Amino acid sequence: METLPHRYETDSDYRQNRPVHVVWELTLACNLKCTHCGSRAGRRRENELTTSECFDVIAQLAALGTREVSLIGGEAYLRNDWLDIVRCITRHGMHASMQTGGRALSEKTIEAAATAGLKSCGVSVDGLADLHDRLRGVKGSYDQAITVLGQLRKHGIPSGVNTQITALTAPDLKPLLQVIADAGVRNWQIQLTVAMGNAADHPELLLQPFQLLELMPLLGELYDTALDHGVLLQAGNNIGYFGPYESRWRTGDETRHWQGCVAGHTGLGIEADGTIKGCPSLPTVGYSGGNVREMTIAQIMQVSRELRFTRDRTVDDLWGFCRDCYYADICRAGCTWTTHSLLGRPGNNPYCHYRVLTLARAGKRERIEQAEPAPGLPFDHGRFDLILEPLDGSPDERTVIAPPPLLSSIGKEPRTGPNRIPPTLIICRGCDQYVFPNETQCPHCGSDIRTVNAEYSRSAAAAREAAEVLSQAIRHSRDARPP
């Protein structure tokens, strides 16, 4: 285990229902006014956990085998005791990280965080200065975020950048990569803005599903360019799935493709008042499994139906395109947060690259239109219509795809049986798409999988041999030069 990244999920983690990565909202207090904030952060919650209660939560997580605790808000550092919480996480042998917008995060505080044991920090940068400041609602917040990246580097805290992709973001991505590389950042995570909270009030910010046809090739190009700059572009949990880039950017390991939502299985979210959810981004209503003031985290994870849904979910819980998709039993409709916030229930995800490409080949595309506004509460959502229409957007043959009644998982008794261990697919080298291990002919490109994969292996071996010969020649030439 020591040789694996701490977020790397093993079969044992799935089998034991181990919360490998926990994201903890320490407070909803915030000094930004983000137009896409799902939690509508600003004021701290009533009845937030006390310091001693936080220490008890940390001890429980350590006992459950948690390997990383990410502190978020609002802004986690607006709690007076947040450094004590970092120290406690570190003392229990877990990786303490933080996600921040960086506003008013001073160098003195960063230095204190390094001393307390903060192991890494992600900073939100949603575009170049004008766009970032517009989205974050505070002029100058971009400059502060970039300054914080430099100060984190100065004090030895590894940093990453998190970027929300809205309908306005694409033009800023290439120049933003250069800014990130110049700041010495080595990890850049991107995710789609989701129709929750403030974002539900601004539907103009939401990417249309069919726009993935342009976005995904751009991200594929950026992935390669980022590597040249020493930056690893990482796709968030609501970007994908199973298109031609999946084998390159999901984890950096071709055997680790998207395997379904892990909320409540190997992932966990904690709200500032002690409410436990499978994922911090999920709505509170319908996904809260209990509170640490009433039950232990182990009890909540074991018996709460609201936390068991990814362990209990089957293909029968899916609907629409996802129900009959080739990857249905692997993907399980992708990110639960995205689909529930958009359509009012999980199980059918229009933000899927494989799906968008499949529909485009049939001359179709999907589009969303807001049908009901959000009520204005933290972690709330409205409702959007999902419209199937011709690829060119002409008004002919438009169909609104309505969700069926919720059949199982959320709101019903949990199923019994062992925890789900996600299966592993292999890659067809005829098209770089994932296929089931028992396939002989690729269902995507028609290739004989064994033949094209054997040829790929031979070509890769020849390329490695040629690279080694070239490397030896360069070393010999360098050694042969006169002093």
Side-chain angles (χ1 to χ4, degrees):
M1 183 64 64
E2 289 76 16
T3 62
L4 296 175
H6 47 270
R7 290 192 194 178
Y8 194 102
E9 297 142 344
T10 67
D11 286 355
S12 174
D13 294 326
Y14 284 105
R15 190 178 294 111
Q16 299 300 321
N17 191 33
R18 185 175 292 120
V20 173
H21 183 211
V22 175
V23 181
W24 187 355
E25 170 207 289
L26 281 189
T27 179
L28 267 189
C30 192
N31 50 20
L32 291 170
K33 302 174 183 178
C34 303
T35 57
H36 47 33
C37 179
S39 63
R40 300 187 187 272
R43 296 181 179 179
R44 59 185 74 246
R45 290 180 186 271
E46 294 183 6
N47 206 23
E48 293 185 347
L49 295 176
T50 65
T51 304
S52 61
E53 287 174 324
C54 288
F55 289 169
D56 181 63
V57 165
I58 293 166
Q60 290 187 53
L61 294 176
L64 289 170
T66 296
R67 298 197 283 274
E68 178 175 356
V69 181
S70 294
L71 304 178
I72 64 169
E75 279 290 4
Y77 65 83
L78 293 182
R79 267 190 71 129
N80 293 332
D81 60 356
W82 80 282
L83 290 176
D84 295 325
I85 292 170
V86 169
R87 291 186 191 96
C88 188
I89 293 169
T90 303
R91 282 198 306 270
H92 280 81
M94 295 179 289
H95 181 107
S97 62
M98 182 174 73
Q99 302 294 323
T100 179
R103 185 186 179 200
L105 182 56
S106 69
E107 182 173 358
K108 181 179 179 181
T109 301
I110 291 171
E111 184 176 12
T115 302
L118 190 70
K119 294 295 191 295
S120 59
C121 184
V123 180
S124 295
V125 184
D126 291 329
L128 300 179
D130 288 346
L131 178 59
H132 177 95
D133 287 359
R134 172 183 170 186
L135 293 174
R136 294 281 159 177
V138 175
K139 189 172 181 58
S141 59
Y142 171 85
D143 291 335
Q144 290 177 312
I146 300 303
T147 297
V148 164
L149 287 172
Q151 292 170 343
L152 289 166
R153 185 180 185 185
K154 176 181 177 180
H155 292 285
I157 301 177
S159 62
V161 165
N162 306 300
T163 298
Q164 292 253 348
I165 296 182
T166 70
L168 309 175
T169 310
D172 278 19
L173 290 176
K174 287 185 178 180
L176 181 58
L177 169 59
Q178 188 63 57
V179 172
I180 291 171
D182 290 345
V185 172
R186 293 295 171 257
N187 295 86
W188 182 21
Q189 180 169 299
I190 53 176
Q191 69 175 41
L192 303 180
T193 294
V194 172
M196 175 178 272
N198 291 346
D201 301 338
H202 296 278
E204 73 279 2
L205 294 180
L206 302 176
L207 200 75
Q208 287 291 343
F210 66 83
Q211 290 179 304
L212 293 181
L213 290 171
E214 297 178 355
L215 175 66
M216 300 301 275
L218 171 61
L219 295 181
E221 178 187 344
L222 277 174
Y223 180 89
D224 294 333
T225 305
L227 287 181
D228 292 338
H229 286 78
V231 177
L232 178 63
L233 186 149
Q234 298 169 298
N237 288 337
N238 69 354
I239 289 186
Y241 309 89
F242 294 107
Y245 309 111
E246 181 71 21
S247 63
R248 295 158 60 192
W249 66 10
R250 181 61 57 188
T251 64
D253 177 355
E254 291 180 347
T255 66
R256 301 290 293 184
H257 50 76
W258 173 256
Q259 295 179 308
C261 175
V262 299
H265 197 171
T266 61
L268 202 65
I270 306 176
E271 293 185 353
D273 62 359
T275 299
I276 300 294
K277 302 185 294 188
C279 167
S281 300
L282 287 169
T284 304
V285 176
Y287 289 92
S288 300
N291 192 288
V292 297
R293 288 172 169 144
E294 300 164 355
M295 302 169 65
T296 68
I297 298 174
Q299 290 170 334
I300 295 171
M301 292 192 69
Q302 183 59 35
V303 305
S304 171
R305 62 193 180 195
E306 289 83 3
L307 262 70
R308 290 189 57 95
F309 70 95
T310 61
R311 288 171 272 162
D312 298 332
R313 178 180 287 169
T314 72
V315 172
D316 290 336
D317 297 302
L318 310 184
W319 56 283
F321 183 100
C322 290
R323 176 64 179 81
D324 300 313
C325 178
Y326 177 79
Y327 296 107
D329 196 36
I330 307 294
C331 181
R332 309 283 177 105
C335 174
T336 302
W337 169 43
T338 300
T339 53
H340 193 114
S341 300
L342 190 70
L343 303 173
R345 61 154 294 180
N348 187 29
N349 190 346
Y351 289 97
C352 163
H353 194 204
Y354 174 78
R355 172 174 175 158
V356 169
L357 291 171
T358 300
L359 290 174
R361 286 193 292 270
K364 301 288 185 179
R365 74 179 195 182
E366 288 176 321
R367 182 171 52 83
I368 58 170
E369 284 185 359
Q370 189 169 40
E372 296 177 8
L377 303 172
F379 295 102
D380 66 353
H381 60 86
R383 183 178 63 79
F384 286 73
D385 283 337
L386 179 60
I387 300 168
L388 181 68
E389 61 187 14
L391 184 59
D392 63 4
S394 63
D396 303 329
E397 302 178 15
R398 294 187 179 185
T399 303
V400 177
I401 303 172
L406 190 59
L407 298 178
S408 58
S409 298
I410 302 299
K412 290 198 173 185
E413 291 303 318
R415 300 182 177 97
T416 58
N419 289 331
R420 173 181 182 257
I421 298 177
T424 299
L425 306 181
I426 63 172
I427 299 175
C428 167
R429 290 304 181 182
C431 59
D432 285 339
Q433 291 275 41
Y434 281 96
V435 297
F436 286 88
N438 61 344
E439 300 274 19
T440 56
Q441 184 177 21
C442 179
H444 309 298
C445 69
S447 298
D448 180 279
I449 296 172
R450 178 176 294 183
T451 300
V452 296
N453 284 8
E455 177 58 32
Y456 175 87
S457 296
R458 286 193 294 269
S459 298
R464 287 193 296 270
E465 183 178 349
E468 179 59 27
V469 170
L470 179 60
S471 178
Q472 290 179 357
I474 292 173
R475 288 197 298 270
H476 178 74
S477 175
R478 186 179 299 137
D479 293 343
R481 290 176 186 170

